[in-house]
């Protein structure tokens, strides 16, 4: 019975992690330069965003990672970007919590 519970717990954790994108490495986030970094560069670094939208007429992208990493344990990260009309990053916010 205990093995079954552990297997189910592992399956739930893996399924939850697979719903989100990469771990959103902080060193890659630090390379983002407002008015310089393009949408294509963001997509090359982080992949397809988990959510897109608009904020005051400007395109927005969101990347989210919630899961367990070998180095840090439980990680909760969120990267939110707003793009200029010329397809460069206007501004962004990055939140990271390690538990």
């Amino acid at each position: 019975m205990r093995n079954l519970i552990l297997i189910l717990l592992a399956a739930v954790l893996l399924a939850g992690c697979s719903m989100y994108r990469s771990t959103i490495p902080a060193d890659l986030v630090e390379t983002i330069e407002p008015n310089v970094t393009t949408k294509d560069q963001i997509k090359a670094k982080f992949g397809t965003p988990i959510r897109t939208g608009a904020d005051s007429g400007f395109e927005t992208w969101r990347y989210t990672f919630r899961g367990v990493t070998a180095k840090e344990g439980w990680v909760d990260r969120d990267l939110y970007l707003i793009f200029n009309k010329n397809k460069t990053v206007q501004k962004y916010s990055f939140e990271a919590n390690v538990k």
Side-chain angles (χ1 to χ4, degrees):
M1 182 68 162
R2 181 178 175 166
N3 287 341
L4 178 61
I5 291 172
L6 290 174
I7 290 170
L8 289 173
L9 179 60
V12 167
L13 286 173
L14 289 174
C17 291
S18 68
M19 292 171 31
Y20 299 99
R21 290 282 157 215
S22 70
T23 61
I24 312 173
D27 59 334
L28 282 183
V29 174
E30 292 171 2
T31 66
I32 299 171
E33 294 181 59
N35 304 309
V36 175
T37 306
T38 66
K39 284 178 20 174
D40 289 339
Q41 291 169 321
I42 294 295
K43 196 166 194 175
K45 290 178 186 185
F46 301 104
T48 303
I50 193 141
R51 185 178 307 152
T52 61
D55 183 352
S56 302
F58 295 99
E59 186 174 3
T60 62
W61 288 5
R62 180 176 302 275
Y63 294 88
T64 302
F65 175 78
R66 289 181 181 88
V68 178
T69 67
K71 289 183 181 179
E72 300 167 304
W74 180 259
V75 176
D76 184 354
R77 293 186 177 151
D78 187 72
L79 175 62
Y80 180 76
L81 305 111
I82 300 175
F83 292 95
N84 292 310
K85 299 292 182 185
N86 67 359
K87 300 181 181 182
T88 60
V89 174
Q90 182 183 101
K91 60 184 173 179
Y92 69 94
S93 66
F94 177 61
E95 296 178 21
N97 296 306
V98 179
K99 298 177 182 177

